[in-house]
Amino acid sequence: MARSSSLSGFLELLPSERIVELHVLDTLREVFERHGFASIESRAVETVDTLLQKGEVDKEVYAVSRIHDDAGSSSEAKMALHFDLTVPFARYVVENAGHLAFPFRRYQIQKVWRGERPQEGRYREFTQADIDIVGDGALPFRCDVEIAVVMARALEALQIGDFTLRVNNRKLAEGFYRAIGLTDAAAVLRAVDKLEKIGEAGVVAELTAKAGATEQQAQKALALAGIRTDDSSFAEQVRDLAEGAEDTELMEQGLAELAEVIDELRARVPGRAVADLSIARGLDYYTGTVIETVLSGHEQLGSICSGGRYESLASKGKRTFPGVGLSIGVTRLVSRLIGAELLTASRSVPTAVYVALRSDDQWGAAQDIADALRARGISAEVALSAEKFGKQIKYADRRGIPFVWFTDEEGRHEVKDIRSGEQAPADPQTWTPPAEDLTPTITRNV
């Protein structure tokens, strides 16, 4: 089972657990690349000004400095570890715009650091897997649709059980709030975003205290957040709730965009998405589509994948780079998959064959056998000393290695399946283990 290290908030994995994590990362990478997303890696360190420009909580940012601070370093920009991959990506796009072809489709899998209180599913160091599509000056809305479909397919490919993409649209929400007379849409969104944490009464209290809402307006905002459908029927419910309002242009634009996303998800990944008008997302840079994702039966874990549309996160002078992206909290997801034994590895090492030693002077010959197997893609390792065969077999068993190779005094070869006890003649130039034993396999218990 996954465990935290001696420093709280930092996850360390045993070899078999790491195999599960690598399976998740490889699966995501394969799906992203199949849909035309190119991999990038950005630096781990950004200037503090870059990280905080979008209103992030500075208490969560880890500052970076040299242990020995030279007097001249005070003039340098203050640096910090990135807390997500979206803000650094915006900087990356601006600085490399001349080398990129737009719309630019990128995926990025890296560690990030966030100084929040460690708890289940929340770590101070964790891996994220992001996909984004960014345009130069404009970005077609259909990119919102595509990004949602790609991420749903990636999660399906993991075969981790049922999950639900909860989709909303900021234009819909803001347009509705303005239509009923709530002018501070950002304050309303921040309050609604806390609905699952503080409950309806808490949201009403915050709306009246911080957004200037009347009781009636607060109740309508709650009613909007309560709408949830698996098709585009949410639109009429919203219109009924806004009946009598005059300026609904922005709301109608959001309704149309959300309906397009939901309809396409229903067609391409049926049963994986709902229109959930309680989803707000706390970050201010989102401007349209917003998405959160829950794993069925593990809702207490929170969102395992989230993101949305942003129009002006990246800009250079009058030039803007609108985009849409989603991010999977890989460490959050993997820790639950391992802890609940939803995914398990068949063994803890890649080795398929352990080449035993009959005598220490045969070590070179044993390496020749191992190299012959390796040349054909079979992972092999050689015993380091010629202990009794029983001890060598026990060592291979403890390591989870399925096969042990023996060579007798006449140079004849045999391979033993130590799980079944079956032993048969073998040729290092032609022998191959069964396909399921060639590499560690992942068992799904969902």
Side-chain angles (χ1 to χ4, degrees), residues 53-64:
Q53 65 181 330
K54 295 301 175 180
E56 289 303 313
V57 180
D58 57 3
K59 291 181 180 178
E60 294 186 354
V61 176
Y62 281 113
V64 175

Side-chain angles (χ1 to χ4, degrees), residues 192-209:
V192 172
D193 192 44
K194 302 175 185 177
L195 180 59
E196 294 183 356
K197 295 181 180 179
I198 64 178
E200 293 187 359
V203 171
V204 169
E206 186 161 331
L207 286 173
T208 54

Side-chain angles (χ1 to χ4, degrees), residues 116-285:
E116 58 183 357
R117 183 173 64 87
Q119 53 187 296
E120 184 183 12
R122 290 189 178 275
Y123 299 93
R124 291 173 172 170
E125 177 186 66
F126 53 98
T127 300
Q128 287 191 183
D130 287 21
I131 53 171
D132 287 77
I133 306 177
V134 175
D136 185 356
L139 186 71
F141 176 74
R142 60 184 51 174
C143 292
D144 294 39
V145 180
E146 184 176 9
I147 211 96
V149 170
V150 172
M151 190 58 83
R153 286 176 172 166
L155 292 172
E156 281 191 331
L158 293 176
Q159 299 183 34
I160 55 177
D162 289 336
F163 61 88
T164 303
L165 270 65
R166 303 164 66 190
V167 191
N168 196 7
N169 190 289
R170 279 284 188 91
K171 295 176 185 176
L172 187 167
E174 291 187 26
F176 177 84
Y177 301 147
R178 293 176 186 175
I180 64 172
L182 291 171
T183 57
D184 192 349
V188 180
L189 285 167
R190 283 193 293 269
V192 172
D193 192 44
K194 302 175 185 177
L195 180 59
E196 294 183 356
K197 295 181 180 179
I198 64 178
E200 293 187 359
V203 171
V204 169
E206 186 161 331
L207 286 173
T208 54
K210 297 183 179 181
T214 64
E215 178 69 23
Q216 183 181 20
Q217 289 171 327
Q219 290 301 326
K220 281 199 170 188
L222 277 178
L224 180 76
I227 296 175
R228 182 184 177 109
T229 68
D230 61 2
D231 56 22
S232 55
S233 62
F234 63 85
E236 286 308 312
Q237 296 183 48
V238 175
R239 294 188 181 105
D240 289 344
L241 197 58
E243 186 176 6
E246 295 182 0
D247 184 8
T248 59
E249 182 179 353
L250 184 61
M251 183 188 82
E252 288 294 339
Q253 185 179 350
L255 286 172
E257 289 183 355
L258 180 56
E260 187 174 342
V261 173
I262 291 298
D263 287 344
E264 192 70 9
L265 284 167
R266 287 190 75 201
R268 301 200 177 276
V269 280
R272 296 304 191 187
V274 297
D276 186 338
L277 276 55
S278 70
I279 301 302
R281 301 292 299 144
L283 298 175
D284 292 339
Y285 54 70

Side-chain angles (χ1 to χ4, degrees), residues 416-435:
K416 180 184 184 74
D417 184 335
I418 62 175
R419 298 161 300 182
S420 66
E422 295 181 3
Q423 188 165 327
D427 182 343
Q429 301 299 326
T430 60
W431 180 87
T432 300

